[in-house]
Amino acid sequence: MINSNKRKVQPRTHCHPERYSAKDLGGNWRPRSLGVPRDDKSRVVLSGAIAVALLILSAVTGCASNSSAAPAKELTLKSPGGEVALHVKFDGPRPTYEVTRGGTTVIEASPLQMTVDGAEVTANVAASKIDRYNVDEKFAWQGKHSEAHARGNGAKVELKGLKSPVALDVRTFDDGVAFRFIVPGASDAKRTPDERSKFTLPAGTTAWSHGLRGHYEGDYSKKDISQFKEGDWAAPPITFKLPGDGGYASITESALVNYSGMAMESDGDRGFTVGLGHRQPVSYPYELRYPPEDVERLSHPAAVQGTITTPWRVILVAKDLDTLVNSDIINSLAPPPDKNLFPDGANTDWCKPGRAVWRYLGNGNDSTRQASTATSRPAPASRNATPRNERREGLVGDIFPTRTAAATRQSQFAAREGSTSIDDVTRFSKLAGELGFEYQIIEGFWRRWGTDELKDVVDYSNRQGVKLFVWVHSKWLRDPAVRHTLFTKCHEYGIAGLKIDFFDHEHKEVIDLYQSILRECAENKLLLIFHGANKPAGEERTWPNEMNREAIHGMEASRQPDRAFHETVLPFTRFLAGHGDYTPVLFTARRGNVTWAHEVAIPVVFDETIITYGASPQHILDNPACDMIKSIPATWDQTIVLPQSSIGEMAAYARRKGDTWFLAVINGNGPRKLDVPLSFLSGGRKYRAMTVADDNGVDSASMQIERDKQFGSTDAITIDMPSGGGFVARFEKSKEDSK
C-alpha cells in the first residue's frame, strides 16, 4: 500500500523493470521487447516525491520511483516488513553488498563484479542516480499454493565509471533479496559478458549442496562452510543454516533468458563466486553424449546481442523452513506469461497438471508383496482388425528430416528405446485410466511405429481419459526445421506433450534452445517435461507449458547410497527452485533404505506439476495404499511446512487441495516419534481420515492402513516411524460437515 503522506499515482504501465533496458545512464530507459506482456492480475504500488515528477517518470520508464540524482556512496534497501535489508557500498574498487535479517548477517560484505568483453564495468564506479520503486503482485500458480504473492522494494542504481555504463537493479522482500546487472547497448551490438560476484557466508554456517559432475543430478552432502575447498563447485540452489538462531538462506537465480546459467565456485574462504556455463566443469553426461568439438565450443563465454540483462541473483532468507519453502521470489522475478499464448496464465486450460504412468522403471517386473493374489490384466484388443504389418503408412521417425530420421530409428540409447509393443502401451493407458491418472510417458520406442499406429494409440488413450507424452533427444531439436516438423506433427496427431532429454549443460547456447522449444511448443499447445536438465529458474511462470524438469538425482538413479537422507534434503534445497521430476513411488529394491509408507508419502511432499510414478500402474492398483495414491493431487492450494521438519532428517508437510487436507512425513535415518497437532484443520469441523503408516516391527514393505477415523483441529496424531519410514493421512470433511 502507498504511505498515507504520499499521493497515489496510476502508472501508465505495470512496473516490471525486466521489460525495460537502459538506453543510456542519464535516466532515459527504453522498452525492451521480451514477447511476454504483463499479467493483468499484477499490480505495482508506486511511490515518489511529488505526483508530477512521478507521472513524467512513469511515462518514461513505466515504473514510478523516488529518484536521487546526487552521487551516493551507499544504499540501504529494506524489505516491506523492515526485517530483511540489502546494504550496498560504492566507495571501493568495486561495489560491495551485505544482506541482513534483523540482527543476523546473512551475507557478509561481498564484491559485485561484472566484465564485458574482458573489461570490468564495475571497477571504480560511482552511483550517479538511484531510482526506488515498489512491487506488489499476485498471480495464479500451480504448485505449492494456488496464488503467488511477491511484495518488495526495489532500486535501480545507475553506475558510471571508466568503462561501459551499467545499472545495478536490486530488490528486497520479506523472504529474500535479488540483484542483477543491466548493460545498455545498440540492438545490433554483440558483446560478451562474464561475472565474478561473490556470496560470503558467516563462519559457523552449515551448507547442503552437490557438485557438478552429474550436471544437476548429484547427491547432497552436509558441510560446515569452512570445509569447502578453493575450486569446489556447487549446483544451485545451495541451502544454508546460519549459525545460532539465524535461520536459513538459499542461493540460486531467476529469469535465465538470453544468458548462460550460473553455478557457484568456492573460494575456500566461506565465499562462493558466480560461475557461468562456459566456466563450469563439464559434466560426465555431456562428455558421454556429445563430441569433443561441442565440449570445446561451450567452453568459451557466450556473446549477447543488444542490451545485456543478467539473470537475477537470488538469496532466499527465512527464519524457518516454512517461510523458505513458501517463498514466491524466484517465480515473481521471472517474466510473466504471454497472454496471447497463455490467456489465463498458469490456469490456461490446456496446461493441466496431473499424474502419469511410465513404462521404464516399473515395467511390470516390480513386486508388490502385499498384493500376492493380483493377476496381470490382459492387454486390450487391437483397435483395428487390419494386421499391423499391412498398415504401416510410414515410420513416425520419418517426421524428422532425412538426415535425422536414421538416427531416430537406430538410437544409441537402447534403454530409452526398449522393445515395448503397442499393446504394452495401450495396456498402460487402460490402467492409468483406472487409476484416474491423466497422462502416460512413452519412451523413445514410439518413433518405430507407423503414423497410423501412433494415431491409434493416441485415440485409444484419449478414450481412457489419458493423454500421451513422447520422448525426444534434445540434440535432434537444434535444427529449427526439425522442431517445426516435429511439433506440428505432434499437435496434429493429438499428442499432449514431449519429454525432451540430455541437455546436460547451461551455456547460453543450450539456454537459448530451451527457450526456443518452450515458445514453439506453446504455439502448438504442447506440454513439456525436460530431463537431463539444468535447475528451474522461473521458466514455469513464463512458460506454463513447462510441466516438470528433472535436474534432480531421482529414482532413475539405481545407485543412490542413502535415499533416506537424500529425500529429506531435497524439499529444502532443489525443490526451492521449482518443480522436479523425481519419478517417485517404487516398491522394488531400488527404493533403497526407505519404506513403502515413505514412498507413498513422497508425492505429497515433493513439488511436481506432473507426477510421473515410477511403479507400474498394475502394481499401484494392487497395492493396499492404492486409494491413498489415487487421491494425491499434483498441485496444492496451501502448503504448511511443520516445525518438526529438519533438513536431512525429516520433512513434515500439511497440504490442502480444496477442502481436503493431507499430512505427510518422510523420515531420514534413525527412528523418530512425533506428535503432530492438527490445528491446520478448520476449527469446529470433523474430518474423516485415512492413514498409511509403517507397520513397525515387521519389515520395510509392510504398512498399517486405517480408514474412517474422526479428527478435528484440537486433536493430534502420534507418528512412530522407523529409519527411512513415512506417514501420510488424508482428511476429508465428514458427511455432516459437507452439507
Side-chain angles (χ1 to χ4, degrees):
M1 301 303 293
I2 297 176
N3 293 337
S4 59
N5 62 338
K6 296 178 181 178
R7 292 181 59 185
K8 295 183 179 180
V9 179
Q10 290 297 322
R12 290 181 58 180
T13 62
H14 292 293
C15 171
H16 211 276
E18 53 261 43
R19 297 281 296 165
Y20 296 84
S21 54
K23 184 176 183 181
D24 58 58
L25 291 184
N28 298 314
W29 297 81
R30 62 183 174 88
R32 176 167 65 94
S33 174
L34 286 177
V36 281
R38 292 294 295 159
D39 185 335
D40 284 344
K41 292 183 179 179
S42 300
R43 57 189 178 89
V44 179
V45 180
L46 307 172
S47 62
I50 59 174
V52 173
L54 285 174
L55 286 169
I56 294 172
L57 185 60
S58 66
V60 175
T61 68
C63 199
S65 63
N66 284 330
S67 178
S68 173
K73 292 187 177 181
E74 62 182 75
L75 164 70
T76 295
L77 187 67
K78 291 188 176 182
S79 65
E83 189 172 42
V84 175
L86 175 67
H87 313 274
V88 187
K89 293 185 177 180
F90 307 100
D91 56 355
R94 60 184 56 89
T96 61
Y97 77 101
E98 182 181 1
V99 179
T100 58
R101 184 183 69 82
T104 299
T105 297
V106 178
I107 301 292
E108 294 182 354
S110 302
L112 294 165
Q113 187 173 1
M114 182 181 186
T115 63
V116 175
D117 292 336
E120 185 178 345
V121 296
T122 49
N124 300 306
V125 293
S128 62
K129 185 178 179 182
I130 299 176
D131 287 334
R132 294 177 181 261
Y133 60 90
N134 310 118
V135 175
D136 188 1
E137 64 176 340
K138 297 180 180 179
F139 49 92
W141 194 244
Q142 298 278 8
K144 54 200 168 191
H145 34 241
S146 55
E147 183 179 68
H149 185 197
R151 180 170 168 260
N153 295 324
K156 187 166 287 185
V157 185
E158 297 178 8
L159 303 175
K160 287 186 177 180
L162 298 177
K163 302 298 181 181
S164 301
V166 61
L168 173 66
D169 197 2
V170 295
R171 292 188 190 177
T172 57
F173 305 84
D174 289 332
D175 52 1
V177 305
F179 63 86
R180 65 175 178 178
F181 293 109
I182 303 170
V183 185
S187 60
D188 59 348
K190 288 188 176 181
R191 297 165 299 162
T192 303
D194 205 352
E195 293 179 72
R196 291 290 195 279
S197 294
K198 189 172 289 189
F199 306 80
T200 304
L201 281 301
T205 296
T206 302
W208 289 265
S209 66
H210 70 78
L212 296 177
R213 185 55 179 157
H215 194 38
Y216 279 84
E217 299 172 36
D219 296 326
Y220 281 87
S221 63
K222 175 185 178 181
K223 295 180 182 179
D224 184 87
I225 195 68
S226 64
Q227 294 178 280
F228 286 90
K229 298 176 183 178
E230 183 178 2
D232 285 350
W233 283 83
I238 314 171
T239 296
F240 306 94
K241 189 175 190 300
L242 300 167
D245 295 324
Y248 299 88
S250 190
I251 299 172
T252 188
E253 65 181 332
S254 179
L256 175 54
V257 181
N258 196 34
Y259 207 81
S260 292
M262 174 190 78
M264 309 301 296
E265 183 183 18
S266 171
D267 66 0
D269 191 23
R270 298 186 283 111
F272 288 94
T273 303
V274 172
L276 301 185
H278 68 277
R279 204 164 68 79
Q280 298 168 15
V282 180
S283 70
Y284 171 73
Y286 198 84
E287 288 180 323
L288 174 69
R289 294 163 182 148
Y290 292 91
E293 55 266 30
D294 283 3
V295 174
E296 164 63 19
R297 186 178 68 257
L298 299 192
S299 69
H300 298 281
V304 174
Q305 184 170 328
T307 292
I308 299 170
T309 303
T310 75
W312 289 97
R313 308 311 178 198
V314 180
I315 307 165
L316 303 180
V317 180
K319 62 181 180 179
D320 54 35
L321 293 176
D322 181 56
T323 304
L324 189 71
V325 166
N326 278 290
S327 175
D328 290 316
I329 292 177
I330 295 169
N331 291 310
S332 74
L333 291 168
D338 185 338
K339 279 194 168 292
N340 293 317
L341 297 171
F342 307 101
D344 295 313
N347 292 331
T348 297
D349 59 2
W350 57 273
C351 300
K352 293 188 180 300
R355 292 76 48 83
V357 299
W358 179 42
R359 196 182 191 278
Y360 185 71
L361 296 179
N363 59 6
N365 298 322
D366 50 330
S367 158
T368 306
R369 185 188 59 76
Q370 286 181 278
S372 57
T373 60
T375 57
S376 231
R377 304 188 185 196
S382 172
R383 277 81 51 215
N384 194 308
T386 306
R388 284 199 174 92
N389 60 4
E390 297 178 11
R391 299 182 61 246
R392 300 181 67 82
E393 295 177 358
L395 287 169
V396 168
D398 291 335
I399 69 176
F400 297 92
T402 303
R403 66 187 177 85
T404 305
T408 68
R409 290 195 292 268
Q410 299 176 3
S411 173
Q412 61 178 303
F413 305 103
R416 293 290 179 192
E417 299 301 321
S419 57
T420 300
S421 70
I422 288 177
D423 282 340
D424 288 329
V425 173
T426 54
R427 179 171 61 90
F428 263 50
S429 286
K430 182 177 186 295
L431 297 174
E434 292 180 24
L435 285 167
F437 287 8
E438 295 83 1
Y439 298 102
Q440 179 179 181
I441 313 296
I442 301 176
E443 290 295 331
F445 51 79
W446 72 281
R447 296 188 315 279
R448 296 177 176 175
W449 301 342
T451 54
D452 56 338
E453 294 172 318
L454 176 60
K455 292 174 184 176
D456 281 353
V457 173
V458 170
D459 290 344
Y460 177 82
S461 299
N462 285 342
R463 291 198 297 273
Q464 313 309 308
V466 177
K467 296 185 180 297
L468 303 181
F469 275 73
V470 295
W471 183 91
V472 176
H473 195 310
S474 63
K475 72 177 180 180
W476 300 327
L477 304 181
R478 293 176 176 179
D479 186 335
V482 173
R483 295 198 301 269
H484 175 76
T485 302
L486 175 64
F487 301 161
T488 301
K489 289 294 184 182
C490 284
H491 177 75
E492 176 186 330
Y493 297 159
I495 290 170
L498 294 96
K499 177 180 178 180
I500 304 178
D501 208 344
F502 301 150
F503 293 88
D504 300 321
H505 211 294
E506 57 181 351
H507 189 278
K508 178 180 177 293
E509 177 182 307
V510 181
I511 301 303
D512 289 346
L513 178 60
Y514 280 112
Q515 292 292 314
S516 295
I517 290 169
L518 284 160
R519 172 166 286 284
E520 293 163 25
C521 281
E523 291 168 348
N524 286 279
K525 294 188 176 181
L526 292 172
L527 306 177
L528 286 163
I529 296 173
F530 291 125
H531 264 227
N534 71 325
K535 64 190 171 301
E539 293 87 356
E540 56 190 298
R541 183 193 181 188
T542 308
W543 306 103
N545 59 324
E546 180 180 310
M547 306 306 288
N548 217 338
R549 179 180 287 240
E550 192 178 27
I552 197 168
H553 205 205
M555 294 302 289
E556 282 194 36
S558 59
R559 297 180 181 178
Q560 220 309 320
D562 188 356
R563 288 200 186 275
F565 173 77
H566 184 65
E567 291 170 354
T568 51
V569 170
L570 289 172
F572 313 113
T573 52
R574 163 61 183 83
F575 281 105
L576 299 179
H579 51 204
D581 196 10
Y582 193 77
T583 61
V585 187
L586 272 178
F587 304 116
T588 65
R590 184 183 287 256
R591 76 181 186 275
N593 59 342
V594 303
T595 67
W596 277 20
H598 180 113
E599 288 290 320
V600 175
I602 285 176
V604 180
V605 175
F606 289 3
D607 291 312
E608 308 195 35
T609 319
I610 287 180
I611 307 171
T612 300
Y613 278 81
S616 74
Q618 183 61 66
H619 292 136
I620 295 175
L621 285 163
D622 293 338
N623 193 280
C626 176
D627 182 56
M628 178 66 77
I629 295 170
K630 287 167 61 176
S631 70
I632 296 171
T635 61
W636 305 93
D637 295 327
Q638 184 179 355
T639 294
I640 301 171
V641 180
L642 300 178
Q644 294 93 333
S645 298
S646 179
I647 303 176
E649 297 181 2
M650 182 172 60
Y653 278 48
R655 297 189 119 163
R656 179 179 61 82
K657 186 72 170 183
D659 292 326
T660 300
W661 280 93
F662 288 78
L663 169 64
V665 184
I666 55 176
N667 191 26
N669 291 300
R672 285 183 177 83
K673 186 174 183 179
L674 65 155
D675 292 320
V676 180
L678 302 180
S679 54
F680 53 83
L681 299 176
S682 296
R685 290 177 173 173
K686 285 294 183 181
Y687 288 79
R688 185 179 73 258
M690 175 184 179
T691 61
V692 176
D694 294 294
D695 192 356
N696 287 332
V698 184
D699 59 44
S700 65
S702 296
M703 296 181 290
Q704 290 183 334
I705 297 176
E706 296 183 339
R707 302 174 187 269
D708 296 327
K709 295 186 70 176
Q710 297 288 314
F711 291 95
S713 61
T714 58
D715 295 321
I717 285 183
T718 299
I719 302 171
D720 192 359
M721 296 177 294
S723 181
F727 175 88
V728 60
R730 183 184 69 226
F731 300 93
E732 299 174 291
K733 285 183 183 179
S734 296
K735 290 182 180 179
E736 57 271 23
D737 283 323
S738 299
K739 296 178 181 178

